[in-house]
Amino acid sequence: MLSLHQLRCFLTTYEMGSLTAAAEELGYAQPSISEQIRTLEKTLGVQLFRRVGRGVVPTTVADELRPHAERTLAAAEGARRAVQSVKQFETGTIRFGMFGAARLYFGARLVADVLERYPGVRVELIGQNSTEVHEELRRGRLEAAMIAVASLESEGMTVTPVARDELVYVSADPAHLATPVTAHRLALASLVMPETTWRQVDSIRIILRRMLHETGRNPATRIEVEDVETAVELVGMGLADSIIPRGAADQLLPRLAPNAGWVSLRPRMYDTFAIVHRADATLSPAARLMIELASARMREIAEPL
């Protein structure tokens, strides 16, 4: 029966043109290499080399065998690497970029999905804002991420839209929720908005600025905060209104502002979430797993694209 060791000895001897040189290359004694070649010749019923002086010359049969031996050894090495990759994957660290409010959609459930399949891994969900995560992708510090894409440049990136979530106007004043909010009404509103550190590049504010372009005004904020939870609490206190994704409203209003409600904008506006990675990247099994699981979770909650 053919063995990988025999084929490795054969190929090395073929390339080096000498049993002695092949033995030195592989770290074996020369008689051991000779024995492997003889055994291979006996198994195949052919002569693979002719002795010439201190070296050997391959026969035409050896010329025919060489590419098959190379492919067999390459396949075996590929199998070894694949097994090692899975082994390292199952015990290594999985890092994935996420927009900051992902915790309100499925952050904990995504981690649970991963650990259900691979109990031995560490999981890191990275990011406070989509712009920050995008920069980490650009610098090669992350393989892939799910982020809001309204504010992002796609040059050099592969962007795959997954789902969209409607932006809604939230208020504790029933009069403010009687009809959908137009651009004119929005321009006059007193708002509390999250993501103050990222206000210039935050995807929701960019969408609102586009909506208000015809009025010649930007959304007027009375209060600036970092997290959407604080913004919703302030809405519940009646201190300001806000615009947040419907998924966040559904999660937070019952708990933090039960006296508040929401209404659509007119026309309806949406924040789009997409899987993003470098266009030239070969994604690891870990990245592909996170893309699969995060996409499935998002499509369960928001409107699939």
Side-chain angles (χ1 to χ4, degrees):
M1 181 179 293
L2 292 175
S3 72
L4 295 177
H5 182 50
Q6 290 169 357
L7 293 178
R8 191 171 291 109
C9 291
F10 160 73
L11 278 177
T12 306
T13 302
Y14 187 101
E15 293 166 359
M16 306 297 291
S18 164
L19 291 167
T20 301
E24 292 176 356
E25 177 71 16
L26 294 174
Y28 295 106
Q30 190 268 343
S32 176
I33 300 297
S34 298
E35 178 61 26
Q36 293 300 317
I37 296 298
R38 282 196 298 271
T39 301
L40 180 60
E41 289 177 328
K42 183 177 179 180
T43 299
L44 297 175
V46 296
Q47 182 181 4
L48 296 173
F49 296 101
R50 294 191 304 273
R51 288 188 175 272
V52 178
R54 295 186 177 182
V56 293
V57 175
T59 64
T60 55
V61 176
D63 292 335
E64 183 68 23
L65 176 62
R66 179 185 61 81
H68 297 283
E70 289 175 339
R71 286 195 293 270
T72 299
L73 290 176
E77 176 60 20
R80 186 195 67 80
R81 286 197 302 266
V83 170
Q84 286 299 114
S85 174
V86 171
K87 181 179 178 181
Q88 292 171 1
F89 173 34
E90 292 180 346
T91 58
T93 296
I94 297 177
R95 302 178 76 244
F96 189 68
M98 295 291 293
F99 59 98
R103 65 189 181 279
L104 303 176
Y105 289 81
F106 53 76
R109 282 169 288 177
L110 176 60
V111 173
D113 289 342
V114 176
L115 295 181
E116 182 180 1
R117 293 197 188 191
Y118 299 99
V121 302
R122 289 183 67 251
V123 182
E124 297 181 5
L125 295 184
I126 309 297
Q128 294 296 319
N129 181 274
S130 291
T131 301
E132 170 197 24
V133 176
H134 184 266
E135 181 64 15
E136 293 291 285
L137 285 167
R138 191 184 66 80
R139 292 177 179 272
R141 295 171 181 165
L142 286 171
E143 278 194 89
M146 178 179 284
I147 51 182
V149 295
S151 62
L152 303 180
E153 295 291 335
S154 60
E155 183 177 357
M157 294 287 175
T158 296
V159 179
T160 306
V162 172
R164 67 178 189 172
D165 200 8
E166 183 182 0
L167 300 181
V168 296
Y169 188 95
V170 294
S171 176
D173 186 339
H176 294 179
L177 306 176
T179 59
V181 176
T182 63
H184 178 72
R185 277 184 57 196
L186 183 59
L188 301 176
S190 178
L191 300 176
V192 53
M193 291 297 292
E195 305 285 357
T196 185
T197 294
W198 309 96
R199 69 181 75 178
Q200 296 304 317
V201 292
D202 176 57
S203 63
I204 292 178
R205 300 196 197 211
I206 287 175
I207 293 168
L208 296 181
R209 285 197 289 268
R210 293 170 183 165
M211 179 180 177
L212 293 181
H213 179 72
E214 64 186 59
T215 71
R217 300 183 60 180
N218 282 326
T221 54
R222 181 184 183 189
I223 308 169
E224 290 279 345
V225 296
E226 289 290 2
D227 60 280
V228 67
E229 289 93 338
T230 300
V232 169
E233 284 190 274
L234 292 167
V235 169
M237 295 175 185
L239 298 177
D241 297 342
S242 190
I243 297 95
I244 61 175
R246 179 175 173 178
D250 291 342
Q251 290 285 326
L252 296 178
L253 289 182
R255 178 162 53 91
L256 301 178
N259 60 321
W262 62 265
V263 69
S264 296
L265 302 175
R266 180 179 291 165
R268 293 176 186 267
M269 295 289 161
Y270 296 87
D271 208 3
T272 299
F273 304 106
I275 294 295
V276 183
H277 59 80
R278 292 171 62 95
D280 58 356
T282 299
L283 297 176
S284 68
R288 293 196 297 271
L289 172 70
M290 295 303 286
I291 288 171
E292 172 196 342
L293 295 178
S295 298
R297 280 292 181 186
M298 178 56 81
R299 289 179 175 127
E300 288 176 359
I301 297 165
E303 180 182 340
L305 292 175

